[in-house]
Amino acid sequence: MDILYEQLSDKSLLKTGNFIAGEWLPATDENTQIPVINPADGQVVARVFKASKQLCEKAIASAKIAFTDWRNSSPKKRTNVLQAWNALLHQHKRDLALIMTMEQGKPLGEAEGEIKYAASYLEYYAEEVKRIKGDILPAPDRSSKIIVAKEPVGVVGIITPWNFPVAMFVRKLAPALAAGCTCIVKPDERTPLSALAVMELGRRAGIPPGVVQMITGDPPEMGACLATHPDVAKLSFTGSTRVGKHLMTLAASTVKRLSLELGGNAPFIVFPDADIPAAVEGLIASKFRNTGQTCVCVNRVFVHEDIHDAFVSILKEKVKGLRVGSGLEGCDVGPMIDEQAIHKVERLVQDACHRGAEVCCGGQRLPLGPHYYEPTVLSGVTREMDIFREEIFGPVVSITSFAETEEVIRMANDTPYGLASYVYSKDASVIWRITEALEYGMVGVNTGSISTAWAPFGGIKQSGFGREGSAYGMDEYLQLKYINWKTE
C-alpha cells in the first residue's frame, strides 16, 4: 500500500473501507480484510474491508430511506451532481488510472482512457435527466384521459467485474441516478480500489447520504443478498454467464428486474474486398485491449480464403511488435489478472495445437512476472477446438478461413452467445446482408471499437439482456405507470 500511496497526488483517494449512508467505514480487524494483488508482480497493493451480510443489509436499508428524497429531487439537482462528478473524474484521472493499473494491470494509457470513457456516461446522463418523459395516449372515449408516466424503479443493486473496474459501475450507476434510483454497488474484490476512489469523488460531488453505497465482500454472499432482498427492485450484473444464470435463479424469489451483460464469443469477419491493413488495425485494437480481457473482445477471426495468407502475414508482424510489460512502463499489453486466467489461455492454445492449429507467433508464457502471456496468433482453427467455442479472455487471436458468405454466417452464429460482432467489407450489399444475419446485439462495421455512451450496449441469447448507454439505457431504470383519468 505504501508504494501506491506515495505515488498519488491526492492520497485521500486511496480508500479501503466501505461507503454506507454517506460515510466511510474503515476496516478494524485483520481477519475482515481482502488483499488486493498487483497482477504485474504478485505483490499486495492494499487490503480492503470485507463487508458482512449484515452490512449489505444496512446498505440496502440506507438506500431505501434515501430513495424518497432522491426520486423527488429536481432534474436540475441530479444534473448538477452528475456534472460535478464528471468534472472530478477528469480532474483526478491520473491518480485514478494509477490506482487501476496497480490493481488490474492494464497499461496506464488504457487506464486513463477508461476513466475518460466512464466520465462520458456521467456527462451523457447529466443531460438525459431532462428528457425523461411519458405520453398522453388516445382514449376509447372523450370522457377519459390515458396518461403514461415514467418513474424510477427503486433501489438498484449493481455488481461489476474486474476487467473495467470504473467504467462498468459508472455505466450502470449514471443512468440509475439520473432516473431517480438509489444504488448499492459491489465492485469485484480483485479490483475495488479504483471504484472506491471514484466513490470518494462522488461524495465530493454532492451525492446525498444513502443515494449510493459501495460495499466490498465475498461475491456469493453479497450477490445473494442483493439478488434476494425484497427491498432491492432491480439488479444489474456484468460478469460470466454461469454467475448470471445463478443470479437469475436467486432474483426469481422476488420477481426482481434484471439487466445482465454476460459472456461473449465475438466473430470478426473479413471479406475479400476489405481494406486488409485497416482490418488488421481494427482487430488489434479490439483483441489486445486490456490484454484481451474484455467481453466484446474479438474471439474468432474469419478471413476469406482469397486473402487469408496476406492477412495473417500482416497481422503476425504487427502482433510481434506489441510491447509486453508492467502497465506502468509504457507497454501495449500488460499482465493477465491472475493465475486462473493465464491457465485457461494455456489450456485453449494447447488444445488447439493438439487438434491441428498452427502457432504463427507467440504461444507461451513470458518470464516477466507471474501473469504474462505472449501475444499469440493461431491459424487453422476449426469448430472442434475448445478455443472456437469458449470465450478466450486473453491475448490470443484465433483464425479460421472461409469460402462462402453463408458458410461464415453459420460459423459466426454457431455459439450460444450473442454480444458483439465485427465485419470488414466495402460492399454495401454484403454489409447489409451480414449485419441482418448475425445473431448479436451489436455489430461493428469496418471498426473494432463500438462502445460509446451514445449507443445501446448489450447482447442477446446467453450473453444476457438489457442495454447500457443512450436513452435505451435510461429505460432500464424506469418503470411505466398507466393512469386512466375519468374527466366527465
Side-chain angles (χ1 to χ4, degrees):
M1 182 170 179
D2 291 343
I3 296 175
L4 174 57
Y5 183 79
E6 291 303 322
Q7 295 185 61
L8 296 176
S9 298
D10 185 346
K11 295 176 172 49
S12 63
L13 288 177
L14 189 55
K15 300 295 184 183
T16 57
N18 283 217
F19 189 73
I20 308 290
E23 296 183 352
W24 288 103
L25 305 181
T28 57
D29 187 332
E30 188 71 24
N31 294 325
T32 66
Q33 296 184 4
I34 304 170
V36 180
I37 308 298
N38 184 344
D41 57 18
Q43 299 300 306
V44 175
V45 178
R47 298 179 187 273
V48 298
F49 186 5
K50 183 179 180 180
S52 63
K53 180 183 178 183
Q54 290 72 30
L55 191 61
C56 183
E57 291 171 343
K58 180 179 178 180
I60 294 170
S62 176
K64 182 181 179 182
I65 292 169
F67 174 61
T68 300
D69 285 345
W70 185 248
R71 71 170 294 177
N72 293 325
S73 63
S74 69
K76 182 65 174 175
K77 178 177 181 178
R78 283 179 252 163
T79 291
N80 289 344
V81 169
L82 293 174
Q83 286 177 336
W85 204 349
N86 167 48
L88 286 171
L89 257 66
H90 284 286
Q91 181 182 338
H92 294 274
K93 67 178 182 294
R94 184 202 171 274
D95 276 350
L96 295 173
L98 181 61
I99 294 171
M100 187 188 301
T101 294
M102 292 285 281
E103 68 176 346
Q104 200 274 342
K106 67 180 59 177
L108 193 60
E110 281 192 26
E112 285 200 18
E114 179 177 338
I115 300 303
K116 289 186 280 188
Y117 172 69
S120 72
Y121 283 87
L122 294 170
E123 178 185 24
Y124 183 89
Y125 285 107
E127 299 169 351
E128 198 66 23
V129 172
K130 310 164 190 174
R131 291 184 275 273
I132 300 174
K133 56 185 183 295
D135 289 296
I136 298 177
L137 304 179
D141 58 75
R142 296 178 59 85
S143 65
S144 297
K145 298 293 183 186
I146 295 177
I147 301 167
V148 180
K150 290 184 178 182
E151 299 180 343
V153 298
V155 176
V156 176
I158 294 174
I159 303 175
T160 56
W162 53 264
N163 57 339
F164 291 94
V166 170
M168 293 300 97
F169 103 78
V170 175
R171 194 165 76 181
K172 299 172 186 294
L173 186 72
L177 294 181
C181 299
T182 55
C183 303
I184 302 97
V185 181
K186 192 276 173 191
D188 193 283
E189 72 282 2
R190 287 165 287 189
T191 56
L193 299 174
S194 50
L196 292 168
V198 171
M199 185 68 256
E200 167 60 15
L201 294 179
R203 184 193 66 79
R204 298 180 193 179
I207 290 288
V211 171
V212 182
Q213 333 283 325
M214 185 167 285
I215 54 174
T216 57
D218 178 66
E221 185 176 35
M222 297 299 102
C225 182
L226 293 172
T228 60
H229 200 289
D231 289 337
V232 176
K234 176 183 173 70
L235 182 66
S236 181
F237 168 76
T238 295
S240 71
T241 297
R242 177 185 62 81
V243 174
K245 290 178 179 179
H246 177 61
L247 290 173
M248 283 185 71
T249 301
L250 295 177
S253 64
T254 53
V255 195
K256 204 178 304 298
R257 282 183 63 169
L258 291 170
S259 290
L260 300 175
E261 198 258 282
L262 309 176
N265 193 0
F268 185 98
I269 305 170
V270 186
F271 285 93
D273 66 319
D275 182 329
I276 296 177
V280 168
E281 291 297 332
L283 171 58
I284 289 175
S286 176
K287 175 73 254 187
F288 293 102
R289 183 166 62 107
N290 200 21
T291 317
Q293 300 170 121
T294 81
C295 55
V296 294
C297 206
V298 172
N299 216 60
R300 296 167 298 152
V301 180
F302 299 101
V303 182
H304 194 276
E305 60 185 15
D306 289 351
I307 60 168
H308 176 274
D309 291 350
F311 183 91
V312 172
S313 177
I314 296 173
L315 174 65
K316 181 173 63 174
E317 294 308 309
K318 290 283 187 179
V319 171
K320 285 181 178 179
L322 294 174
R323 299 164 298 169
V324 182
S326 165
L328 300 177
E329 298 173 352
C331 63
D332 300 307
V333 179
M336 299 189 68
I337 187 65
D338 55 25
E339 181 63 26
Q340 182 179 355
I342 199 169
H343 178 72
K344 178 183 179 181
V345 168
E346 287 182 317
R347 174 179 62 80
L348 292 176
V349 171
Q350 289 168 6
D351 173 79
C353 292
H354 177 72
R355 296 173 185 266
E358 177 187 349
V359 178
C360 301
C361 64
Q364 60 186 359
R365 290 195 189 216
L366 290 170
L368 301 173
H371 304 135
Y372 290 93
Y373 195 85
E374 198 172 6
T376 299
V377 176
L378 300 179
S379 64
V381 172
T382 64
R383 297 186 190 191
E384 293 71 34
M385 299 174 186
D386 292 344
I387 203 166
F388 187 94
R389 304 202 168 273
E390 297 183 32
E391 188 172 24
I392 301 170
F393 236 64
V396 179
V397 177
S398 158
I399 301 177
T400 302
S401 66
F402 73 93
E404 302 294 336
T405 300
E406 291 304 318
E407 173 193 14
V408 77
I409 290 172
R410 286 194 301 271
M411 289 193 292
N413 290 335
D414 185 17
T415 175
Y417 301 105
L419 187 57
S421 56
Y422 306 89
V423 178
Y424 272 77
S425 174
K426 297 176 183 176
D427 188 329
S429 63
V430 169
I431 291 170
W432 192 251
R433 179 182 177 189
I434 196 80
T435 54
E436 282 193 327
L438 287 172
E439 298 169 355
Y440 292 84
M442 298 177 286
V443 184
V445 179
N446 295 328
T447 179
S449 178
I450 57 175
S451 299
T452 172
W454 296 66
F457 185 103
I460 60 174
K461 301 195 290 187
Q462 292 191 34
S463 288
F465 47 82
R467 293 297 182 267
E468 295 176 353
S470 77
Y472 298 102
M474 178 79 88
D475 286 342
E476 297 291 329
Y477 299 94
L478 295 166
Q479 56 194 3
L480 298 180
K481 177 178 285 184
Y482 152 51
I483 303 164
N484 190 328
W485 187 348
K486 196 74 171 177
T487 58
E488 296 180 11

